[in-house]
Amino acid sequence: MATSTSLAITDSAAAQEALRELFATHERVVFFGGAGVSTASGIPDFRSVDGLYHQHFAYPPETMLSHTFFKTHTAEFFQFYRERMIALDARPNRCHVKLAQLERAGVLSAVVTQNIDGLHQAAGSRTVWELHGSVHRNICERCGAVYPAEQMVSRELEDAEGIPRCPKCGGLIKPDVVLYEEPLDQRVIEGAVRAIAAADALIIGGTSLVVYPAAGLTQYFKGDTLAIVNRDPTPQDKRANLLISCDIAAAFDF
């Protein structure tokens, strides 16, 4: 794999052509995506000017999304989770839809995502490794019963303190998302690593590549073409063979 960028693109039409060419010349492409993939679906990212980390809350978002906060300020955690982390009205954008089409065509092997919104599956993608879990699975810590995001939003499962409880056993229902201070699921990590290691092309899209350990999984890529599609620079730009700095939904509109 080249260690310096061979092609830098800022125009969406040129980006579409370059990505079309990439898929035409590779057999095992993997897409590794972050929050920027879903911004065109109306879900804010974390670190941009309008992102979650630049909004004002009673506590920093990193604190409210931590395991400690979940355990010690459970009602406040769920208020933030319901209002800021679940977006049931969001719909897949052009990037999600194109990736699903490419998988059906047999040229995209897998999607590895840091997102928890489930939009890749909503678009039709089947092989999706969700590094940080999904809001669409909420699991009773006592009996293991699973509840959909719709029931979390409707608040039908909540007790008098606003904390969701399992109607079967009374246990606390925890979102199946990886909070700060929690490890990634080992099965998901292994699946993502296998997909990335077997790829002959890796497309990294909509991520700042600063969140670890997720960002570290890209080191397992040993193929010949690395493409990065992101509005802002990332720490791995110098490794890229193809560097695209335009709207990711527009780039995948081909």
Side-chain angles (χ1 to χ4, degrees):
M1 184 174 63
T3 57
S4 61
T5 302
S6 58
L7 183 60
I9 296 173
T10 58
D11 176 72
S12 59
Q16 294 163 12
E17 184 57 36
L19 289 173
R20 187 184 293 111
E21 175 68 15
L22 184 152
F23 280 102
T25 55
H26 293 80
E27 297 180 350
R28 299 179 307 281
V29 184
V30 168
F31 180 84
F32 180 98
V37 175
S38 294
T39 53
S41 296
I43 299 178
D45 61 10
F46 290 84
R47 291 173 175 79
S48 68
V49 174
D50 298 319
L52 193 64
Y53 289 172
H54 289 272
Q55 299 177 30
H56 297 287
F57 304 103
Y59 302 89
E62 300 97 320
T63 298
M64 289 189 286
L65 292 174
S66 69
H67 180 81
T68 297
F69 196 83
F70 170 73
K71 289 296 187 181
T72 60
H73 296 73
T74 309
E76 291 170 285
F77 168 87
F78 277 107
Q79 181 179 356
F80 181 80
Y81 175 72
R82 281 194 315 272
E83 295 177 358
R84 300 292 178 172
M85 305 308 295
I86 302 177
L88 295 182
D89 293 333
R91 295 293 179 266
N93 60 54
R94 290 171 291 178
C95 181
H96 298 108
V97 172
K98 175 55 72 172
L99 290 170
Q101 292 174 347
L102 292 164
E103 182 185 25
R104 288 194 294 272
V107 291
L108 182 74
S109 300
V111 170
V112 179
T113 181
Q114 299 174 80
N115 296 339
I116 60 175
D117 51 45
L119 290 180
H120 286 292
Q121 291 92 331
S125 291
R126 297 182 297 273
T127 305
V128 182
W129 297 103
E130 297 174 308
L131 297 176
H132 296 151
S134 173
V135 299
H136 294 283
R137 297 184 300 271
N138 300 274
I139 304 172
C140 173
E141 291 189 317
R142 183 178 298 170
C143 74
V146 181
Y147 298 92
E150 288 79 3
Q151 286 187 283
M152 302 297 284
V153 172
S154 69
R155 309 182 70 160
E156 63 186 271
L157 301 172
E158 293 182 2
D159 62 17
E161 297 179 343
I163 298 172
R165 298 285 180 183
C166 177
K168 299 178 181 180
C169 71
L172 175 64
I173 299 172
K174 181 184 181 298
D176 188 23
V177 298
V178 179
L179 303 176
Y180 288 104
E181 305 167 347
E182 294 181 342
L184 301 187
D185 184 282
Q186 189 62 34
R187 181 191 65 85
V188 175
I189 293 176
E190 291 173 357
V193 167
R194 284 195 302 270
I196 293 171
D200 56 6
L202 176 65
I203 302 174
I204 298 173
T207 174
S208 58
L209 290 174
V210 298
V211 177
Y212 283 80
L217 298 184
T218 62
Q219 68 181 312
Y220 292 97
F221 175 63
K222 306 301 181 184
D224 60 68
T225 301
L226 173 65
I228 297 179
V229 188
N230 199 56
R231 282 184 177 275
D232 301 315
T234 81
Q236 298 192 34
D237 284 358
K238 291 183 179 180
R239 295 179 56 208
N241 307 96
L242 175 61
L243 187 61
I244 298 173
S245 53
C246 71
D247 178 77
I248 191 168
F252 275 87
D253 191 19
F254 61 91

